[in-house]
Amino acid sequence: MTEHFLSARISLSSINQLPVLRINNDWASATISVQGAQVLEFTPAGGDNLLFVAQGESFNQGEAIRGGIPICWPWFGAHPELADAPTHGLAREVDWQYKVVADSDNRTDLLFWLDLDGRHPAFPYPARAELLVSIGSSLVVSLTTLNLGPQPFQLSQALHTYFACQDQERVRIQGLADRRYLDKLTGKNDSVPRAFSFDREIDWVVGDVGQALLFSGLGQKAIHMTRLGSRSVVLWNPGREKSKTLSHFLPDEYRGMFCVEASNALEDCRLIKANSSHVLVMELTAVDLDAPKPA
Ligand SMILES: O=P(O)(O)OC[C@H]1O[C@@H](O)[C@H](O)[C@@H](O)[C@@H]1O
């Protein structure tokens, strides 16, 4: 597809088989795949891309993209009952509808939506996901789930964010110490140690997590993450051995990424009643570590 401009700041083109929207305003540039409504890149002006996409990614239609911010919806991880249902729900491998809702030098907002008609065997409920992606001095991703049918349903979900780093072992996360987590690899519960690092395969669901987290050890900049509508986060890095089995991953690429996923998982999954909704919001801001602190 040749590049087609929707406005001075927004264009539609493609990467291999997948249509992508590219946004460029005074504060940042971003790339979003229409399949999965998946943000693939967010680069604050003059800075580095906060997000990781696997170099082995082939961008084929109907295949989940390994990187950026996959939307795991309306369930996170394995389906609660059906072993053959896709991991991480129904949203990653299909095209979403979209429209531009704000387009200025300071902020570009795109609204994506996906409707489920209640006939999918793994999710027999009419529902809509709306994803508002706001690109400005920060990246804001806001996922609203609407129950359009008469029956309540359980929702688990995640904004499965792949962050870029030089070396995953040097990444430090502030805001998680002493929180309880389930280790999905061993099935055991424990508390997050103060000196946590991604120095091996990690697959944890951490509960009762406050709104703000800070990621450092990435170089000059740190990343500030805030969440609303979420009390859990998922920490994931496949490590050396698991990464060899993953789709679209080159050997050793696991070193340059780590996932911290704003989620509603385990005890934090939500019951969405008829005609009700739930909103999960994540904001990411690049923070200059050398900037003077407010007095
Ligand atoms: O390979 P996928 O389906 O993108 O999932 C990657 C990982 O995603 C994480 O969120 C899960 O906790 C892991 O268990 C999983 O391996």
Side-chain angles (χ1 to χ4, degrees), residues 14 22 55 61 71 79 101 124 131 133 141 191 203 214 216 228 231 234 237 286 288:
S14 56
R22 295 185 194 275
Q55 286 172 40
Q61 222 168 32
I71 308 298
H79 187 280
V101 291
L131 189 83
V133 181
V141 180
S191 299
D203 194 353
L214 185 75
S216 57
L228 294 174
R231 292 193 294 270
V234 180
N237 183 292
D288 198 337

Side-chain angles (χ1 to χ4, degrees), residues 210-231:
Q211 265 178 20
L213 297 173
L214 185 75
F215 314 144
S216 57
L218 313 172
Q220 178 64 20
K221 298 272 185 191
I223 298 175
H224 190 235
M225 173 196 274
T226 52
R227 299 158 15 264
L228 294 174
S230 155
R231 292 193 294 270

